[in-house]
Amino acid sequence: MSFPIRRLLAESSGQRVPEVPQVLKPVELSAGESLAGLRREVGGPRRPLRGASREACRRLDAVVDGLDLHGMFAKQEAVVDTTAGPDGLAYAGYRNGEETDHWWIGGDLEHAFGGAAPKVITLLVGAGNLRGRRRPVARTEKREFPLELLTSERFLRSMNEPITSIGFGADGHQLGTRESFWLLAGSVAKLVRALPGDGPKVRVVFRVPAEEYWLPLLPALQEEIASPELCGRWFAKTRRDRDLFVQGFTGILDKMLGEYRNRVTVLACDALDHLGNRLVGAVARGEQPMVSDLHGELRETDELWKFVLSPHHQEAVRRELVAERRFAPEDPPRLDGLTGLVNATDVVDLLKYGSGGPAIVVDEANAARRMLGLAERFAQRHPDGAARMAGIGPLGKILGGSWGPGGPFAQFRGDSGHLVVLDPVDSSRGQRVPTGDLFSELYFVR
């Protein structure tokens, strides 16, 4: 290319770019500050936020030390998203070849990485990131709306026409999904390649939402706004999509891991996968499953589900979240209804995989933070309390735009297959670049 693509922030034509992060501004170090290097602030007012920067770097060092990561060279800088609450959301930098990539690190790291060295670590990859990128929509003859609105009783009462089709919106979700694969695979590969030769095996649980996209249809099915045939087609489509996504992600990960591939086992699942066949069969028989039916069946699955769905534990966690709301930037997660069921599956996964070694969420930072905040509260109430969990939120370089070596990024235009990368000096000039080449240049592990 005639100009470095790492100087570019990508905003494709018609793509709804996330609000956080966008504009990056350098923050000068004060005289005598012990934190070496340049801190960078994402969005918001220009202010130092030294505490968030220092803590982000400390947390990355804790992961490096806790897993004995060789070749993971932390760089003493941080990107701080000042729109994520009063304390910001800080991403620590680490070297990837000649470049610097950034991770947010969360969780009780002393508990996650303390004690005996693990034989297996589990990386829970993708669900929150893919949920954010892929927003299903339902359509009637007269309008289109987010599928998740069907979980609202008030919205259901306003429906006076049947749903004719379901799909994903035209907001460029394909581009965002493909970027997610490269971003997440790169973070997984960096971890695996940095582990010591005699270190733990790695289990990658690639969590593609599928069955959770079915749940909003259940109330509509009961109100006869959605037909069994419509539901059946949607069930089949999301499962086909999951198979394709697993193939795509695994192919990218294989290329990045190379000779390290034999250390990794990839499991593909949705957190509600075991309910899938039950729902397919029930709807095909003309039944109308209810949320209470699903809760009852899950409680019989194993003791973890019984524990997490216990009204006593859920109410205790709810009270705690409400009490701490003034200190938290996000609203307490809902624990009831269909939304609560999705949140509960995240908790069950973390408790399950965190009982045999660290369970590390590798996902969009806000999603990982919410998952950990909820799961850790349940873990504190579990009889053995042994679950070890942490979170890694990699900062994207296209839809979300982290820092490049030359300063703020220019825009690019294009579709999901090819992008026109604009010359940062002359925006009337550009170069048409295949998306795969761009992702490879930005995210490949070095």
Side-chain angles (χ1 to χ4, degrees), residues 146-159 216 219-220 223 225 334 338-339:
L147 187 67
E148 62 197 42
L149 284 181
L150 293 174
T151 62
S152 165
E153 291 184 10
R154 171 184 281 186
F155 183 82
L156 271 180
R157 287 196 297 269
S158 73
M159 292 283 293
E223 297 296 325
I225 297 169
R334 291 174 55 194
L338 296 171
T339 301

Side-chain angles (χ1 to χ4, degrees), residues 41-74:
E41 182 178 352
V42 183
R46 191 178 178 115
R47 53 182 177 153
L49 291 173
R50 293 186 182 87
S53 299
R54 187 182 297 109
E55 176 66 10
C57 295
R58 185 195 70 78
R59 283 180 163 272
L60 179 56
D61 285 339
V63 174
V64 171
D65 293 342
L67 293 177
D68 193 20
L69 300 178
H70 298 280
M72 175 71 82
F73 302 106

Side-chain angles (χ1 to χ4, degrees), residues 186-202:
S187 297
V188 170
K190 184 63 178 177
L191 266 175
V192 172
R193 293 167 67 102
L195 287 168
D198 58 351
K201 295 287 187 180
V202 179

Side-chain angles (χ1 to χ4, degrees), residues 143-182:
R143 59 174 172 166
E144 176 179 296
F145 54 88
L147 187 67
E148 62 197 42
L149 284 181
L150 293 174
T151 62
S152 165
E153 291 184 10
R154 171 184 281 186
F155 183 82
L156 271 180
R157 287 196 297 269
S158 73
M159 292 283 293
N160 54 16
E161 55 181 340
I163 300 168
T164 56
S165 65
I166 311 170
F168 292 96
D171 294 340
H173 69 270
Q174 292 180 349
L175 178 63
T177 301
R178 291 188 65 196
E179 188 202 14
S180 295
F181 290 174
W182 282 90

Side-chain angles (χ1 to χ4, degrees), residues 75-385:
K75 185 175 181 180
Q76 291 297 298
E77 71 162 41
V79 175
V80 183
D81 167 15
T82 60
T83 66
D87 298 323
L89 191 61
Y91 298 77
Y94 69 87
R95 297 188 186 279
N96 183 11
E98 297 181 355
E99 303 300 326
T100 302
D101 294 337
H102 296 85
W103 281 351
W104 167 86
I105 306 293
D108 183 348
L109 304 184
E110 183 176 351
H111 182 55
F113 302 116
K119 295 182 179 179
V120 178
I121 62 173
T122 302
L123 306 179
L124 303 170
V125 179
N129 199 297
L130 296 177
R131 286 169 191 155
R133 295 299 193 207
R134 290 168 57 80
R135 295 283 186 177
V137 296
R139 303 178 184 92
T140 68
E141 293 291 341
K142 297 180 181 179
R143 59 174 172 166
E144 176 179 296
F145 54 88
L147 187 67
E148 62 197 42
L149 284 181
L150 293 174
T151 62
S152 165
E153 291 184 10
R154 171 184 281 186
F155 183 82
L156 271 180
R157 287 196 297 269
S158 73
M159 292 283 293
N160 54 16
E161 55 181 340
I163 300 168
T164 56
S165 65
I166 311 170
F168 292 96
D171 294 340
H173 69 270
Q174 292 180 349
L175 178 63
T177 301
R178 291 188 65 196
E179 188 202 14
S180 295
F181 290 174
W182 282 90
L183 172 64
L184 297 171
S187 297
V188 170
K190 184 63 178 177
L191 266 175
V192 172
R193 293 167 67 102
L195 287 168
D198 58 351
K201 295 287 187 180
V202 179
R203 178 197 296 124
V204 176
V205 181
F206 186 49
R207 306 168 69 237
V208 183
E211 280 81 2
E212 73 179 59
Y213 288 151
W214 304 1
L215 300 181
L217 278 178
L218 300 185
L221 189 64
Q222 293 161 14
E223 297 296 325
E224 299 184 348
I225 297 169
S227 69
E229 294 76 20
L230 175 79
C231 294
R233 291 194 297 271
W234 180 237
F235 296 170
K237 173 179 170 45
T238 52
R239 280 188 161 178
R240 286 195 303 269
D241 283 356
R242 179 171 61 195
D243 292 341
L244 292 173
F245 289 170
V246 171
Q247 293 174 18
F249 173 81
T250 304
I252 295 169
L253 184 61
D254 287 351
K255 292 178 183 178
M256 291 189 179
L257 287 175
E259 62 184 284
Y260 298 88
R261 181 62 176 86
N262 63 352
R263 300 189 64 170
V264 177
T265 301
V266 179
L267 307 176
C269 74
D270 182 279
L272 294 168
D273 186 57
H274 47 289
L275 279 183
N277 292 335
R278 150 89 169 86
L279 288 175
V280 169
V283 172
R285 292 190 298 270
E287 299 174 12
Q288 297 177 337
M290 301 178 66
V291 180
S292 57
D293 299 333
L294 303 183
H295 278 219
E297 187 162 331
L298 288 168
R299 286 191 185 95
E300 299 301 321
T301 302
D302 60 35
E303 289 301 313
L304 270 181
W305 272 110
K306 187 175 181 180
F307 169 78
V308 172
L309 293 179
S310 160
H312 172 73
H313 296 309
Q314 289 202 349
E315 183 57 32
V317 170
R318 182 184 288 107
R319 287 198 303 269
E320 186 174 323
L321 289 167
V322 170
E324 296 181 6
R325 182 175 181 177
R326 57 183 173 175
F327 305 115
E330 70 272 4
D331 290 333
R334 291 174 55 194
L335 295 173
D336 57 336
L338 296 171
T339 301
L341 189 56
V342 173
N343 288 331
T345 59
D346 293 334
V347 173
V348 169
D349 274 348
L350 279 165
L351 294 180
K352 172 185 175 183
Y353 291 110
S355 63
I360 304 174
V361 179
V362 182
D363 215 324
E364 187 270 329
N366 279 309
R369 181 168 60 166
R370 287 191 296 270
M371 288 171 58
L372 288 172
L374 194 59
E376 287 179 338
R377 287 174 170 85
F378 276 95
Q380 290 167 4
R381 292 169 170 80
H382 195 270
D384 60 33

